[in-house]
């Protein structure tokens, strides 16, 4: 019954195709429909084949073999390559491609082009038909050491075989595209044609010692031919029988290239380079390219499950993507891309640095896997695919011919930054979770990007603030939007923990005046702000900087909390004496501390601490300097501290008492002064090793306790004993 149905269908097709009243469109429709008609056969599906007695074949069958093998029946014509062609062939074979495995990619691309040419030609000529599905079949045989690839595409006549195979750098695909100009449907066909240079076929000589090409044109009445060459400078061509419409290439592999006769090796190569070509690719009867090129589909056509499966395929992951972007544009380059951001990354576990996660394709054929030049290194956590159709490649399709990759990189970087900005607006909570995981990459971007891109990357940064609760983060824009009237700078402090920031002597004045301060906890944050320097028109200023100029910090309150306008007029004489007294205290500190300080000044800050240091190295810089100098090695002294500026609070009780006892006990006063300086270094986070002050600290505590005990003893001796007398009792 099935054979009867097949014969009926074929007869109907033939009748319609031969009908004088049938329109070309109708002929094409019926031809295409019948070619794709499936008939159930048991649990499998059979495709109608109408060019032989074998009416249908199951899907699991390759159907690449004819009833009889190809056989040469005509006169063999021997031809030689021209001298220039021989040189080119030698270059292609030995120098053009960096990896031998790309011959698989090149041959599949050629086969895909042949199928596309047939599909397009059938739109205007229904008589063109291979009688087989538009598929690519590859077979490998380890015993025979052969690699065979066959397509059922447009095929070649004898003249076309001589022209296309006998002349290097003559691209049949390019000539086909040139002939398409002005034709209807040409645009979609141009997008699917891969070949450009006419050298891909010759990549087979990198691995093959002998190559046979069986080809037959889809034009009705065409004969089959066999083209043979060993790549030494000549080739033979002869008529052959039992040749299927299309092209079949049989490569006898060299001894050193036997791995390309191994199914697992070839399958991996197909999935690496050609997994997204437009037509099915079968390897030893098994379909290989089962993953759809989702980036070619419209954004709204892609389901969530398709996104998850495609992400897991390109990223080699098992989780679901956190964010996804379908990005297409025609200017300045024709780009189709599908990008993902994972839930987490491996660098956080202290493992090796992540490799770039985005691969570059051109017309669905991979050009660079995990391309290092496609995106800046700080975006290595992004996964996905970028397909650029008009990318100007070199002949080997491995490198670009001009600076287009730089332009492509610039466009993609800008779009990814905008993408993450939008995600932050859509759901700030989700974005903040993303930043918690991937913030180090963003900070790396601020440190490494150029001046034009750096401000845009900075928009993605998030930090805790003194105005918010612990764990709540804000952007620079949010900080600027709620700055105090007249405030010029954005203030920050680099500390390991929030508690350290809130207890810092530098923070007291800002807290008192209600000025918001950003808390930066990571060591790398110091390098971030040093590279960024300003956001818009606002400078980034550390709260421990010296001589901060900002209207909101000037004349707000005094030491006792009274406003300047409410303070009583000070006695000019007393004011001058206080100034001279402060200068004498500062000079004594400078003489006592010696080379440890550059200068000592009376502080103008509003603080409850005895002293602070300014103009000091940051803790991160100190650590880096120690590592570079090798000072951390066992047995070596610590890196000498860099002299700083010391600001003393002459109103603090410790400073006042120290000044009163300095003449009575100079040695003890010096120890206290040094301890005040070390305490200031600790508050700034720049004391390399606090253990260095333990001996001095113990001495100061011992002296303090001794003085306290002595004072109590004197009070006990001099206090008269009080005797209680009970009334009526004699004393």
């Amino acid at each position: 019954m099935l054979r009867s149905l097949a014969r009926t269908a074929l007869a109907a097709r033939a009748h319609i195709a031969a009908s004088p009243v049938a329109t070309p469109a109708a002929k094409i429709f019926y031809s295409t429909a019948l070619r794709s008609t499936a008939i159930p056969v048991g649990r499998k599906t059979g495709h109608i084949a109408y060019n032989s007695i074998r009416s249908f074949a199951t899907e699991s069958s390759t159907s690449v073999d004819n009833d009889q093998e190809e056989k040469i029946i005509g006169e063999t014509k021997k031809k030689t390559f021209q001298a220039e062609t021989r040189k080119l062939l030698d270059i292609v074979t030995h120098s053009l491609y960096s990896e031998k495995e790309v011959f698989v990619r090149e041959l599949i691309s050629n086969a895909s082009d042949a199928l596309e040419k047939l599909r397009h030609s059938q739109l205007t000529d229904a008589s063109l038909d291979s009688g087989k599905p538009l598929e690519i079949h590859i077979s490998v045989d380890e015993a025979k050491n052969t690699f065979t690839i066959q397509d059922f595409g447009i095929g070649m006549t004898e003249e076309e075989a001589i022209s296309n195979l006998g002349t290097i750098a003559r691209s049949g695909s390019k000539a086909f595209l040139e002939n398409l100009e002005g034709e209807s449907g040409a645009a979609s066909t141009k997008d699917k044609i891969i070949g450009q240079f006419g050298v891909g076929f010759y990549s087979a000589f990198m691995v093959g010692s002998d190559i046979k090409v069986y080809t037959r044109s889809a034009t009705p009445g065409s004969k089959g031919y066999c083209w043979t060459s060993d790549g030494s400078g000549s080739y033979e061509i002869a008529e052959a029988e039992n040749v299927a419409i299309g092209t079949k290439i049989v490569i006898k592999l060299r001894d050193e290239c036997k791995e390309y006769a191994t199914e697992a090796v070839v399958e991996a190569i197909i999935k690496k380079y050609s997994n997204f070509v437009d037509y099915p690719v079968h390897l030893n009867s098994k379909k290989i390219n089962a993953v759809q090129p989702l980036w070619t589909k419209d954004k709204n056509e892609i389901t969530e499950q398709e996104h998850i499966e495609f992400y897991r395929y390109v990223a080699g992951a098992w989780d679901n993507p956190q964010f996804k972007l379908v990005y297409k544009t025609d200017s300045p380059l024709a780009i189709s891309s599908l990008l993902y951001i994972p839930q987490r990354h491996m660098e956080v576990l202290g493992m090796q640095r992540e490799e770039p996660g985005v691969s570059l394709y051109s017309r669905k054929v991979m050009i660079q896997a995990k391309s290092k030049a496609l995106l800046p290194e700080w975006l290595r956590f992004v996964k996905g695919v970028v397909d650029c159709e008009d990318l100007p490649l070199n002949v080997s399709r491995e490198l670009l011919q001009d600076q287009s990759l730089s332009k492509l990189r610039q466009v993609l970087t800008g779009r990814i930054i905008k993408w993450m900005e939008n995600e932050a607006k859509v759901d700030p909570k989700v974005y903040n979770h993303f930043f918690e995981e991937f913030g180090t990459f963003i900070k790396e971007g601020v440190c490494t990007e150029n001046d034009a891109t750096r401000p845009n990357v900075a928009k993605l940064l998030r930090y805790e603030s003194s105005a918010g609760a612990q764990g709540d983060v804000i952007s620079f824009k949010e900080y600027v939007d709620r700055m105090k009237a007249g405030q010029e700078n954005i203030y920050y402090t680099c500390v390991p923990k929030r508690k350290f920031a809130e207890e810092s002597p530098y923070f007291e004045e800002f807290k008192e005046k209600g000025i918001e301060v950003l808390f930066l906890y990571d060591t790398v944050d110091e390098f971030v702000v040093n590279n960024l320097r300003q956001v818009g028109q606002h400078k980034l200023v550390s709260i421990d900087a010296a001589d901060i100029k900002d209207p909101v910090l000037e004349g707000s309150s005094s030491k006792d909390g009274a406003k300047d306008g409410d303070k009583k007029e000070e006695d000019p004489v007393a004011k001058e004496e206080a100034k001279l007294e402060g200068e004498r205290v500062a000079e004594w500190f400078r003489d006592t501390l010696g080379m440890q300080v550059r200068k000592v000044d009376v502080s103008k800050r509003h603080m409850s601490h005895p002293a602070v240091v300014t103009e000091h190295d940051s803790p991160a810089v100190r650590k880096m300097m120690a590592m570079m100098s090798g000072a951390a090695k066992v047995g070596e002294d610590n890196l000498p501290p860099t002299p700083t500026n010391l600001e003393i609070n002459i109103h603090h009780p410790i400073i006042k008492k120290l000044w009163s006892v300095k003449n009575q006990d100079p040695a003890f006063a010096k120890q206290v002064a040094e301890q005040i300086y070390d305490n200031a270094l600790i508050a700034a986070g720049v004391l390399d090793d606090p253990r260095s002050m333990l001996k001095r600290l113990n001495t100061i505590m011992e002296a303090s306790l001794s003085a306290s005990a002595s004072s109590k003893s004197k009070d006990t001796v001099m206090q008269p004993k009080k005797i209680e007398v009970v009334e009526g009792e004699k004393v």
Side-chain angles (χ1 to χ4, degrees), residues 527 620-633 636 639:
F527 299 99
V621 172
R622 290 286 302 170
K623 291 178 182 178
M624 186 174 65
M625 291 172 62
M627 291 173 61
M628 294 178 65
S629 65
K633 294 180 180 178
E636 294 189 9
L639 186 70

Side-chain angles (χ1 to χ4, degrees), residues 445-490:
V446 175
C447 294
T448 57
E449 277 291 354
N450 54 49
D451 292 339
T453 307
R454 186 177 294 116
N456 294 327
V457 182
K459 296 177 183 178
L460 306 176
L461 294 171
R462 296 293 184 272
Y463 292 112
E464 277 193 26
S465 158
S466 60
Q470 184 171 351
D472 294 341
V473 294
I474 63 171
S475 64
F476 283 121
K477 184 180 184 304
E478 291 174 280
Y479 180 100
V480 171
D481 289 344
R482 62 195 194 196
M483 284 170 55
K484 294 176 70 70
Q487 182 177 337
E488 295 180 352
N489 304 320
I490 297 174

Side-chain angles (χ1 to χ4, degrees), residues 305 307-321 340:
Q305 186 60 33
H307 272 301
I308 292 173
E309 291 176 358
F310 189 79
Y311 158 74
R312 291 178 177 178
Y313 170 77
V314 297
W318 293 101
D319 61 339
N320 295 341
Y340 300 97

Side-chain angles (χ1 to χ4, degrees), residues 488-627:
E488 295 180 352
N489 304 320
I490 297 174
Y491 295 101
Y492 70 89
T493 181
C494 295
V495 289
K497 298 180 181 179
R498 186 183 183 94
K499 180 181 178 182
F500 296 165
E502 294 175 335
E503 296 177 353
S504 169
Y506 304 100
F507 178 63
E508 289 181 355
E509 184 176 13
F510 292 86
K511 181 179 180 181
E512 179 183 333
K513 297 175 181 178
I515 301 173
E516 188 173 10
V517 177
L518 297 175
F519 296 156
L520 282 55
Y521 300 138
D522 293 340
T523 302
V524 72
D525 287 327
E526 296 186 40
F527 299 99
V528 171
V529 293
N530 287 336
N531 279 276
L532 190 56
R533 297 189 180 182
Q534 68 180 48
V535 176
Q537 302 300 318
H538 304 284
K539 292 182 179 179
L540 289 165
V541 178
S542 175
I543 61 175
D544 61 9
D547 299 326
I548 301 176
K549 304 296 183 182
D550 198 322
V552 295
L553 289 173
E554 296 175 0
S556 57
S557 62
S558 62
K559 294 278 191 264
D560 57 5
K563 295 183 178 180
D564 289 346
D566 298 335
K567 290 194 296 182
K568 296 180 180 179
E569 190 68 27
E570 294 186 27
D571 183 1
V573 177
K575 185 176 181 180
E576 184 63 24
E577 289 180 352
K579 180 181 178 181
L580 293 174
E581 184 75 2
E583 290 177 353
R584 287 194 291 270
V585 175
E587 183 179 1
W588 180 82
F589 265 94
R590 187 163 48 250
D591 294 340
T592 301
L593 297 175
M595 298 299 293
Q596 297 181 74
V597 293
R598 283 193 292 265
K599 67 176 182 177
V600 181
D601 294 318
V602 176
S603 179
K604 299 178 183 179
R605 298 173 185 266
H606 300 269
M607 61 180 180
S608 61
H609 290 65
V612 294
V613 292
T614 60
E615 301 294 333
H616 55 78
D617 293 331
S618 70
V621 172
R622 290 286 302 170
K623 291 178 182 178
M624 186 174 65
M625 291 172 62
M627 291 173 61

Side-chain angles (χ1 to χ4, degrees), residues 51-55 63-70 132 242-244:
N51 66 328
S52 72
I53 191 68
R54 298 166 64 184
S55 303
S63 299
V64 297
D65 295 326
N66 296 319
D67 292 334
Q68 297 179 353
E69 292 186 357
E70 297 87 352
K132 299 287 181 67
N242 300 325
V243 177

